[in-house]
Amino acid sequence: MILPKTVHEVLAKLEKNGYEAYVVGGCVRDALMGIEPKDFDVTTDATPREVKSVFCGNPVIETGIMHGTVTVLIDHFPIEVTTFRIDGEYVDLRRPLRVEFTRSINEDLARRDFTINAIAYSEKSGIVDPFEGKQDLADGIIRCVGDPKKRFEEDALRILRAVRFASVLGFAIEPLTQKALLEKKDTIKSVAIERISSEFFSLLCGKNIENVLIEYSELFAVIVPELSLAFEFLQNNPYHAYDVYTHTAKVVANTSPKLDIRLAAFFHDIGKPKTYSQDVKGIGHFYGHQKLSSQMADTILRRMKTDNETREKTILLVLYHDIQIKPERKAVKRVLNRFSEEFFLDLINLKKADVSGQHPDLIGRVLELDTLVRIYEDIIRENECFNLKDLVISGGDLILLGVVPGKQIGVILNDCLSKVISGILSNNKDMLIEYVLSIYINDN
């Protein structure tokens, strides 16, 4: 494991002064998986006071002194250094009431959540892995350190962390850990919604999300209770081979791993059970589910304290996920004019995923959506006009023609743009001026 110069310096200085020191947790896990670590946490048998003494020539911030953590600044780069510790009783499903410092790295690793995060490394001692986390990494297993019930009772957020690792890394959760996770699922309600949202949003973008959504549906119903109506809700429609929730899981998995699109996929049909009706032939319909699903997504995302930009983009995708776009230039340009290039491509991505989660016989509809993308690419390549900024005439041109400044300027420009998008007029200045003169000026 190759350590950054600053991290190496911290370890070396602690060791030079007679202390043990290791990098630990996620950085070791990532390195063993061939992923370049982003953050490095250092653990040591030196107490916070001893760490401050060793680094007396550097700025040291008492980040979490009560729990044994200080931050050492090396060349303005912050390195968190935490003393080996044994956690006391947890009283709020979040933090220990007290901590006890220890001189044993193994005792420190024993308090951690999962075996894959309970691995330490130093250039002097190599890998320290008392709970066989390295083997679990190789086997693709998420396993709690020690008693899984105790681990989840200590910090309920670990329940979501386990599922997040399963989704992002593509790992399976070990049976005893899985059993405890599901038994303790309701304790997640005690966790701050911001922390729940952060984990949920991360796992939603994982590569193993379909399996995770199906296998841990009960957990997701704790986070989003409205979701439970979709479980095993049969659609009774020739377009669909799956119940609403299974369809949703497949759609999420087939979208790009971009948060607003994944959220839109997750919520796009959440209103279906409440809009269900059957015709005389027994075929199921969901009239108005797009609007209701969008409204429900808005409510839920506000409850989850999602940032406004992500929330607004998500609910717009949900609202328009069923919009029909003809494979024609003018139809594509109208969508581009109404929204944006990014929104158009994300919408097509969502629509393709939606088709992939319907009846397998309908997969040919993906080709129709690919046609829309090709039309879009042609429009962009040929610099065709679909918004006012690309229109060759401006408000200034209209004023020179005698149009009085005011609302009428916008009316005329938008009329010209509409005619250009429809193909009635070319985006040619002489032609557009002639049109304006004939319709808005000469007739007056």
mmCIF file with all atom_site columns, all heavy atoms in Angstrom, residues 17-39:
data_model
loop_
_atom_site.group_PDB
_atom_site.id
_atom_site.type_symbol
_atom_site.label_atom_id
_atom_site.label_alt_id
_atom_site.label_comp_id
_atom_site.label_asym_id
_atom_site.label_entity_id
_atom_site.label_seq_id
_atom_site.pdbx_PDB_ins_code
_atom_site.Cartn_x
_atom_site.Cartn_y
_atom_site.Cartn_z
_atom_site.occupancy
_atom_site.B_iso_or_equiv
_atom_site.pdbx_formal_charge
_atom_site.auth_seq_id
_atom_site.auth_comp_id
_atom_site.auth_asym_id
_atom_site.auth_atom_id
_atom_site.pdbx_PDB_model_num
ATOM 1   N N   . ASN A 1 17 ? 8.679   8.085  17.778 1.00 0.00 ? 17 ASN A N   1
ATOM 2   C CA  . ASN A 1 17 ? 8.544   8.465  19.188 1.00 0.00 ? 17 ASN A CA  1
ATOM 3   C C   . ASN A 1 17 ? 8.057   7.314  20.066 1.00 0.00 ? 17 ASN A C   1
ATOM 4   O O   . ASN A 1 17 ? 7.638   7.529  21.208 1.00 0.00 ? 17 ASN A O   1
ATOM 5   C CB  . ASN A 1 17 ? 7.601   9.661  19.315 1.00 0.00 ? 17 ASN A CB  1
ATOM 6   C CG  . ASN A 1 17 ? 8.259   10.970 18.937 1.00 0.00 ? 17 ASN A CG  1
ATOM 7   O OD1 . ASN A 1 17 ? 8.834   11.650 19.776 1.00 0.00 ? 17 ASN A OD1 1
ATOM 8   N ND2 . ASN A 1 17 ? 8.199   11.323 17.644 1.00 0.00 ? 17 ASN A ND2 1
ATOM 9   N N   . GLY A 1 18 ? 8.096   6.085  19.512 1.00 0.00 ? 18 GLY A N   1
ATOM 10  C CA  . GLY A 1 18 ? 7.810   4.902  20.316 1.00 0.00 ? 18 GLY A CA  1
ATOM 11  C C   . GLY A 1 18 ? 6.365   4.454  20.338 1.00 0.00 ? 18 GLY A C   1
ATOM 12  O O   . GLY A 1 18 ? 5.991   3.592  21.148 1.00 0.00 ? 18 GLY A O   1
ATOM 13  N N   . TYR A 1 19 ? 5.531   4.985  19.437 1.00 0.00 ? 19 TYR A N   1
ATOM 14  C CA  . TYR A 1 19 ? 4.117   4.605  19.416 1.00 0.00 ? 19 TYR A CA  1
ATOM 15  C C   . TYR A 1 19 ? 3.807   3.724  18.203 1.00 0.00 ? 19 TYR A C   1
ATOM 16  O O   . TYR A 1 19 ? 4.519   3.757  17.196 1.00 0.00 ? 19 TYR A O   1
ATOM 17  C CB  . TYR A 1 19 ? 3.227   5.849  19.371 1.00 0.00 ? 19 TYR A CB  1
ATOM 18  C CG  . TYR A 1 19 ? 3.424   6.769  20.551 1.00 0.00 ? 19 TYR A CG  1
ATOM 19  C CD1 . TYR A 1 19 ? 4.121   7.971  20.409 1.00 0.00 ? 19 TYR A CD1 1
ATOM 20  C CD2 . TYR A 1 19 ? 2.931   6.430  21.806 1.00 0.00 ? 19 TYR A CD2 1
ATOM 21  C CE1 . TYR A 1 19 ? 4.320   8.820  21.487 1.00 0.00 ? 19 TYR A CE1 1
ATOM 22  C CE2 . TYR A 1 19 ? 3.122   7.277  22.900 1.00 0.00 ? 19 TYR A CE2 1
ATOM 23  C CZ  . TYR A 1 19 ? 3.819   8.457  22.733 1.00 0.00 ? 19 TYR A CZ  1
ATOM 24  O OH  . TYR A 1 19 ? 4.015   9.300  23.809 1.00 0.00 ? 19 TYR A OH  1
ATOM 25  N N   . GLU A 1 20 ? 2.725   2.954  18.327 1.00 0.00 ? 20 GLU A N   1
ATOM 26  C CA  . GLU A 1 20 ? 2.208   2.236  17.164 1.00 0.00 ? 20 GLU A CA  1
ATOM 27  C C   . GLU A 1 20 ? 1.319   3.191  16.375 1.00 0.00 ? 20 GLU A C   1
ATOM 28  O O   . GLU A 1 20 ? 0.631   4.033  16.965 1.00 0.00 ? 20 GLU A O   1
ATOM 29  C CB  . GLU A 1 20 ? 1.383   1.015  17.590 1.00 0.00 ? 20 GLU A CB  1
ATOM 30  C CG  . GLU A 1 20 ? 2.163   -0.108 18.225 1.00 0.00 ? 20 GLU A CG  1
ATOM 31  C CD  . GLU A 1 20 ? 1.261   -1.298 18.545 1.00 0.00 ? 20 GLU A CD  1
ATOM 32  O OE1 . GLU A 1 20 ? 0.352   -1.576 17.722 1.00 0.00 ? 20 GLU A OE1 1
ATOM 33  O OE2 . GLU A 1 20 ? 1.452   -1.910 19.605 1.00 0.00 ? 20 GLU A OE2 1
ATOM 34  N N   . ALA A 1 21 ? 1.291   3.028  15.063 1.00 0.00 ? 21 ALA A N   1
ATOM 35  C CA  . ALA A 1 21 ? 0.433   3.887  14.238 1.00 0.00 ? 21 ALA A CA  1
ATOM 36  C C   . ALA A 1 21 ? 0.081   3.163  12.947 1.00 0.00 ? 21 ALA A C   1
ATOM 37  O O   . ALA A 1 21 ? 0.939   2.504  12.337 1.00 0.00 ? 21 ALA A O   1
ATOM 38  C CB  . ALA A 1 21 ? 1.124   5.210  13.927 1.00 0.00 ? 21 ALA A CB  1
ATOM 39  N N   . TYR A 1 22 ? -1.168  3.270  12.556 1.00 0.00 ? 22 TYR A N   1
ATOM 40  C CA  . TYR A 1 22 ? -1.677  2.569  11.372 1.00 0.00 ? 22 TYR A CA  1
ATOM 41  C C   . TYR A 1 22 ? -2.667  3.469  10.629 1.00 0.00 ? 22 TYR A C   1
ATOM 42  O O   . TYR A 1 22 ? -3.328  4.314  11.229 1.00 0.00 ? 22 TYR A O   1
ATOM 43  C CB  . TYR A 1 22 ? -2.430  1.288  11.754 1.00 0.00 ? 22 TYR A CB  1
ATOM 44  C CG  . TYR A 1 22 ? -1.664  0.304  12.588 1.00 0.00 ? 22 TYR A CG  1
ATOM 45  C CD1 . TYR A 1 22 ? -1.629  0.420  13.980 1.00 0.00 ? 22 TYR A CD1 1
ATOM 46  C CD2 . TYR A 1 22 ? -0.995  -0.775 12.006 1.00 0.00 ? 22 TYR A CD2 1
ATOM 47  C CE1 . TYR A 1 22 ? -0.934  -0.500 14.759 1.00 0.00 ? 22 TYR A CE1 1
ATOM 48  C CE2 . TYR A 1 22 ? -0.304  -1.702 12.783 1.00 0.00 ? 22 TYR A CE2 1
ATOM 49  C CZ  . TYR A 1 22 ? -0.280  -1.549 14.158 1.00 0.00 ? 22 TYR A CZ  1
ATOM 50  O OH  . TYR A 1 22 ? 0.401   -2.459 14.933 1.00 0.00 ? 22 TYR A OH  1
ATOM 51  N N   . VAL A 1 23 ? -2.789  3.242  9.331  1.00 0.00 ? 23 VAL A N   1
ATOM 52  C CA  . VAL A 1 23 ? -3.977  3.723  8.621  1.00 0.00 ? 23 VAL A CA  1
ATOM 53  C C   . VAL A 1 23 ? -5.025  2.632  8.775  1.00 0.00 ? 23 VAL A C   1
ATOM 54  O O   . VAL A 1 23 ? -4.688  1.438  8.879  1.00 0.00 ? 23 VAL A O   1
ATOM 55  C CB  . VAL A 1 23 ? -3.707  4.022  7.127  1.00 0.00 ? 23 VAL A CB  1
ATOM 56  C CG1 . VAL A 1 23 ? -2.882  5.270  6.978  1.00 0.00 ? 23 VAL A CG1 1
ATOM 57  C CG2 . VAL A 1 23 ? -3.059  2.845  6.414  1.00 0.00 ? 23 VAL A CG2 1
ATOM 58  N N   . VAL A 1 24 ? -6.295  3.022  8.783  1.00 0.00 ? 24 VAL A N   1
ATOM 59  C CA  . VAL A 1 24 ? -7.322  2.049  9.136  1.00 0.00 ? 24 VAL A CA  1
ATOM 60  C C   . VAL A 1 24 ? -8.624  2.349  8.407  1.00 0.00 ? 24 VAL A C   1
ATOM 61  O O   . VAL A 1 24 ? -8.878  3.476  7.982  1.00 0.00 ? 24 VAL A O   1
ATOM 62  C CB  . VAL A 1 24 ? -7.552  2.081  10.674 1.00 0.00 ? 24 VAL A CB  1
ATOM 63  C CG1 . VAL A 1 24 ? -8.185  3.401  11.103 1.00 0.00 ? 24 VAL A CG1 1
ATOM 64  C CG2 . VAL A 1 24 ? -8.383  0.900  11.154 1.00 0.00 ? 24 VAL A CG2 1
ATOM 65  N N   . GLY A 1 25 ? -9.447  1.308  8.259  1.00 0.00 ? 25 GLY A N   1
ATOM 66  C CA  . GLY A 1 25 ? -10.799 1.490  7.741  1.00 0.00 ? 25 GLY A CA  1
ATOM 67  C C   . GLY A 1 25 ? -10.906 1.544  6.233  1.00 0.00 ? 25 GLY A C   1
ATOM 68  O O   . GLY A 1 25 ? -10.280 0.758  5.513  1.00 0.00 ? 25 GLY A O   1
ATOM 69  N N   . GLY A 1 26 ? -11.682 2.524  5.753  1.00 0.00 ? 26 GLY A N   1
ATOM 70  C CA  . GLY A 1 26 ? -12.007 2.595  4.330  1.00 0.00 ? 26 GLY A CA  1
ATOM 71  C C   . GLY A 1 26 ? -10.825 2.723  3.409  1.00 0.00 ? 26 GLY A C   1
ATOM 72  O O   . GLY A 1 26 ? -10.823 2.160  2.306  1.00 0.00 ? 26 GLY A O   1
ATOM 73  N N   . CYS A 1 27 ? -9.786  3.422  3.836  1.00 0.00 ? 27 CYS A N   1
ATOM 74  C CA  . CYS A 1 27 ? -8.626  3.594  2.949  1.00 0.00 ? 27 CYS A CA  1
ATOM 75  C C   . CYS A 1 27 ? -7.915  2.263  2.719  1.00 0.00 ? 27 CYS A C   1
ATOM 76  O O   . CYS A 1 27 ? -7.453  1.978  1.606  1.00 0.00 ? 27 CYS A O   1
ATOM 77  C CB  . CYS A 1 27 ? -7.664  4.627  3.507  1.00 0.00 ? 27 CYS A CB  1
ATOM 78  S SG  . CYS A 1 27 ? -6.947  4.229  5.114  1.00 0.00 ? 27 CYS A SG  1
ATOM 79  N N   . VAL A 1 28 ? -7.839  1.430  3.761  1.00 0.00 ? 28 VAL A N   1
ATOM 80  C CA  . VAL A 1 28 ? -7.213  0.111  3.619  1.00 0.00 ? 28 VAL A CA  1
ATOM 81  C C   . VAL A 1 28 ? -8.097  -0.785 2.762  1.00 0.00 ? 28 VAL A C   1
ATOM 82  O O   . VAL A 1 28 ? -7.607  -1.483 1.852  1.00 0.00 ? 28 VAL A O   1
ATOM 83  C CB  . VAL A 1 28 ? -6.955  -0.538 4.998  1.00 0.00 ? 28 VAL A CB  1
ATOM 84  C CG1 . VAL A 1 28 ? -6.244  -1.882 4.823  1.00 0.00 ? 28 VAL A CG1 1
ATOM 85  C CG2 . VAL A 1 28 ? -6.133  0.384  5.882  1.00 0.00 ? 28 VAL A CG2 1
ATOM 86  N N   . ARG A 1 29 ? -9.391  -0.756 3.040  1.00 0.00 ? 29 ARG A N   1
ATOM 87  C CA  . ARG A 1 29 ? -10.342 -1.545 2.242  1.00 0.00 ? 29 ARG A CA  1
ATOM 88  C C   . ARG A 1 29 ? -10.228 -1.201 0.764  1.00 0.00 ? 29 ARG A C   1
ATOM 89  O O   . ARG A 1 29 ? -10.118 -2.092 -0.097 1.00 0.00 ? 29 ARG A O   1
ATOM 90  C CB  . ARG A 1 29 ? -11.770 -1.261 2.738  1.00 0.00 ? 29 ARG A CB  1
ATOM 91  C CG  . ARG A 1 29 ? -12.861 -2.018 1.985  1.00 0.00 ? 29 ARG A CG  1
ATOM 92  C CD  . ARG A 1 29 ? -14.223 -1.403 2.254  1.00 0.00 ? 29 ARG A CD  1
ATOM 93  N NE  . ARG A 1 29 ? -14.354 -0.074 1.676  1.00 0.00 ? 29 ARG A NE  1
ATOM 94  C CZ  . ARG A 1 29 ? -14.757 1.002  2.352  1.00 0.00 ? 29 ARG A CZ  1
ATOM 95  N NH1 . ARG A 1 29 ? -15.061 0.930  3.628  1.00 0.00 ? 29 ARG A NH1 1
ATOM 96  N NH2 . ARG A 1 29 ? -14.840 2.177  1.729  1.00 0.00 ? 29 ARG A NH2 1
ATOM 97  N N   . ASP A 1 30 ? -10.256 0.084  0.452  1.00 0.00 ? 30 ASP A N   1
ATOM 98  C CA  . ASP A 1 30 ? -10.197 0.505  -0.948 1.00 0.00 ? 30 ASP A CA  1
ATOM 99  C C   . ASP A 1 30 ? -8.880  0.082  -1.602 1.00 0.00 ? 30 ASP A C   1
ATOM 100 O O   . ASP A 1 30 ? -8.863  -0.390 -2.741 1.00 0.00 ? 30 ASP A O   1
ATOM 101 C CB  . ASP A 1 30 ? -10.376 2.020  -1.052 1.00 0.00 ? 30 ASP A CB  1
ATOM 102 C CG  . ASP A 1 30 ? -11.801 2.462  -0.759 1.00 0.00 ? 30 ASP A CG  1
ATOM 103 O OD1 . ASP A 1 30 ? -12.689 1.594  -0.702 1.00 0.00 ? 30 ASP A OD1 1
ATOM 104 O OD2 . ASP A 1 30 ? -12.026 3.672  -0.586 1.00 0.00 ? 30 ASP A OD2 1
ATOM 105 N N   . ALA A 1 31 ? -7.779  0.269  -0.886 1.00 0.00 ? 31 ALA A N   1
ATOM 106 C CA  . ALA A 1 31 ? -6.469  -0.094 -1.443 1.00 0.00 ? 31 ALA A CA  1
ATOM 107 C C   . ALA A 1 31 ? -6.404  -1.582 -1.761 1.00 0.00 ? 31 ALA A C   1
ATOM 108 O O   . ALA A 1 31 ? -5.880  -1.992 -2.802 1.00 0.00 ? 31 ALA A O   1
ATOM 109 C CB  . ALA A 1 31 ? -5.359  0.293  -0.470 1.00 0.00 ? 31 ALA A CB  1
ATOM 110 N N   . LEU A 1 32 ? -6.957  -2.402 -0.869 1.00 0.00 ? 32 LEU A N   1
ATOM 111 C CA  . LEU A 1 32 ? -6.954  -3.849 -1.100 1.00 0.00 ? 32 LEU A CA  1
ATOM 112 C C   . LEU A 1 32 ? -7.825  -4.242 -2.289 1.00 0.00 ? 32 LEU A C   1
ATOM 113 O O   . LEU A 1 32 ? -7.613  -5.274 -2.917 1.00 0.00 ? 32 LEU A O   1
ATOM 114 C CB  . LEU A 1 32 ? -7.426  -4.590 0.154  1.00 0.00 ? 32 LEU A CB  1
ATOM 115 C CG  . LEU A 1 32 ? -6.456  -4.575 1.344  1.00 0.00 ? 32 LEU A CG  1
ATOM 116 C CD1 . LEU A 1 32 ? -7.125  -5.140 2.597  1.00 0.00 ? 32 LEU A CD1 1
ATOM 117 C CD2 . LEU A 1 32 ? -5.192  -5.358 1.013  1.00 0.00 ? 32 LEU A CD2 1
ATOM 118 N N   . MET A 1 33 ? -8.797  -3.383 -2.613 1.00 0.00 ? 33 MET A N   1
ATOM 119 C CA  . MET A 1 33 ? -9.671  -3.638 -3.759 1.00 0.00 ? 33 MET A CA  1
ATOM 120 C C   . MET A 1 33 ? -9.133  -3.019 -5.041 1.00 0.00 ? 33 MET A C   1
ATOM 121 O O   . MET A 1 33 ? -9.774  -3.111 -6.094 1.00 0.00 ? 33 MET A O   1
ATOM 122 C CB  . MET A 1 33 ? -11.083 -3.105 -3.476 1.00 0.00 ? 33 MET A CB  1
ATOM 123 C CG  . MET A 1 33 ? -11.817 -3.819 -2.357 1.00 0.00 ? 33 MET A CG  1
ATOM 124 S SD  . MET A 1 33 ? -13.480 -3.149 -2.115 1.00 0.00 ? 33 MET A SD  1
ATOM 125 C CE  . MET A 1 33 ? -14.265 -3.633 -3.668 1.00 0.00 ? 33 MET A CE  1
ATOM 126 N N   . GLY A 1 34 ? -7.990  -2.369 -4.944 1.00 0.00 ? 34 GLY A N   1
ATOM 127 C CA  . GLY A 1 34 ? -7.426  -1.732 -6.130 1.00 0.00 ? 34 GLY A CA  1
ATOM 128 C C   . GLY A 1 34 ? -8.026  -0.385 -6.433 1.00 0.00 ? 34 GLY A C   1
ATOM 129 O O   . GLY A 1 34 ? -7.878  0.138  -7.548 1.00 0.00 ? 34 GLY A O   1
ATOM 130 N N   . ILE A 1 35 ? -8.710  0.193  -5.448 1.00 0.00 ? 35 ILE A N   1
ATOM 131 C CA  . ILE A 1 35 ? -9.315  1.518  -5.600 1.00 0.00 ? 35 ILE A CA  1
ATOM 132 C C   . ILE A 1 35 ? -8.428  2.537  -4.894 1.00 0.00 ? 35 ILE A C   1
ATOM 133 O O   . ILE A 1 35 ? -8.009  2.324  -3.757 1.00 0.00 ? 35 ILE A O   1
ATOM 134 C CB  . ILE A 1 35 ? -10.729 1.554  -4.983 1.00 0.00 ? 35 ILE A CB  1
ATOM 135 C CG1 . ILE A 1 35 ? -11.636 0.498  -5.646 1.00 0.00 ? 35 ILE A CG1 1
ATOM 136 C CG2 . ILE A 1 35 ? -11.341 2.935  -5.097 1.00 0.00 ? 35 ILE A CG2 1
ATOM 137 C CD1 . ILE A 1 35 ? -12.954 0.296  -4.914 1.00 0.00 ? 35 ILE A CD1 1
ATOM 138 N N   . GLU A 1 36 ? -8.140  3.651  -5.541 1.00 0.00 ? 36 GLU A N   1
ATOM 139 C CA  . GLU A 1 36 ? -7.302  4.663  -4.919 1.00 0.00 ? 36 GLU A CA  1
ATOM 140 C C   . GLU A 1 36 ? -8.043  5.329  -3.767 1.00 0.00 ? 36 GLU A C   1
ATOM 141 O O   . GLU A 1 36 ? -9.111  5.915  -3.959 1.00 0.00 ? 36 GLU A O   1
ATOM 142 C CB  . GLU A 1 36 ? -6.888  5.728  -5.939 1.00 0.00 ? 36 GLU A CB  1
ATOM 143 C CG  . GLU A 1 36 ? -5.929  6.756  -5.375 1.00 0.00 ? 36 GLU A CG  1
ATOM 144 C CD  . GLU A 1 36 ? -5.465  7.767  -6.411 1.00 0.00 ? 36 GLU A CD  1
ATOM 145 O OE1 . GLU A 1 36 ? -5.798  7.581  -7.607 1.00 0.00 ? 36 GLU A OE1 1
ATOM 146 O OE2 . GLU A 1 36 ? -4.786  8.734  -6.034 1.00 0.00 ? 36 GLU A OE2 1
ATOM 147 N N   . PRO A 1 37 ? -7.527  5.225  -2.556 1.00 0.00 ? 37 PRO A N   1
ATOM 148 C CA  . PRO A 1 37 ? -8.212  5.834  -1.400 1.00 0.00 ? 37 PRO A CA  1
ATOM 149 C C   . PRO A 1 37 ? -8.296  7.354  -1.529 1.00 0.00 ? 37 PRO A C   1
ATOM 150 O O   . PRO A 1 37 ? -7.378  7.998  -2.043 1.00 0.00 ? 37 PRO A O   1
ATOM 151 C CB  . PRO A 1 37 ? -7.330  5.435  -0.221 1.00 0.00 ? 37 PRO A CB  1
ATOM 152 C CG  . PRO A 1 37 ? -6.542  4.258  -0.695 1.00 0.00 ? 37 PRO A CG  1
ATOM 153 C CD  . PRO A 1 37 ? -6.308  4.508  -2.158 1.00 0.00 ? 37 PRO A CD  1
ATOM 154 N N   . LYS A 1 38 ? -9.412  7.907  -1.037 1.00 0.00 ? 38 LYS A N   1
ATOM 155 C CA  . LYS A 1 38 ? -9.585  9.355  -1.076 1.00 0.00 ? 38 LYS A CA  1
ATOM 156 C C   . LYS A 1 38 ? -9.215  9.987  0.266  1.00 0.00 ? 38 LYS A C   1
ATOM 157 O O   . LYS A 1 38 ? -8.704  11.101 0.316  1.00 0.00 ? 38 LYS A O   1
ATOM 158 C CB  . LYS A 1 38 ? -11.031 9.702  -1.434 1.00 0.00 ? 38 LYS A CB  1
ATOM 159 C CG  . LYS A 1 38 ? -11.438 9.264  -2.837 1.00 0.00 ? 38 LYS A CG  1
ATOM 160 C CD  . LYS A 1 38 ? -12.887 9.611  -3.115 1.00 0.00 ? 38 LYS A CD  1
ATOM 161 C CE  . LYS A 1 38 ? -13.309 9.158  -4.509 1.00 0.00 ? 38 LYS A CE  1
ATOM 162 N NZ  . LYS A 1 38 ? -14.746 9.438  -4.773 1.00 0.00 ? 38 LYS A NZ  1
ATOM 163 N N   . ASP A 1 39 ? -9.528  9.275  1.346  1.00 0.00 ? 39 ASP A N   1
ATOM 164 C CA  . ASP A 1 39 ? -9.268  9.792  2.684  1.00 0.00 ? 39 ASP A CA  1
ATOM 165 C C   . ASP A 1 39 ? -8.471  8.770  3.480  1.00 0.00 ? 39 ASP A C   1
ATOM 166 O O   . ASP A 1 39 ? -8.646  7.562  3.298  1.00 0.00 ? 39 ASP A O   1
ATOM 167 C CB  . ASP A 1 39 ? -10.584 10.091 3.416  1.00 0.00 ? 39 ASP A CB  1
ATOM 168 C CG  . ASP A 1 39 ? -11.428 11.106 2.674  1.00 0.00 ? 39 ASP A CG  1
ATOM 169 O OD1 . ASP A 1 39 ? -10.928 12.212 2.424  1.00 0.00 ? 39 ASP A OD1 1
ATOM 170 O OD2 . ASP A 1 39 ? -12.584 10.779 2.341  1.00 0.00 ? 39 ASP A OD2 1
#
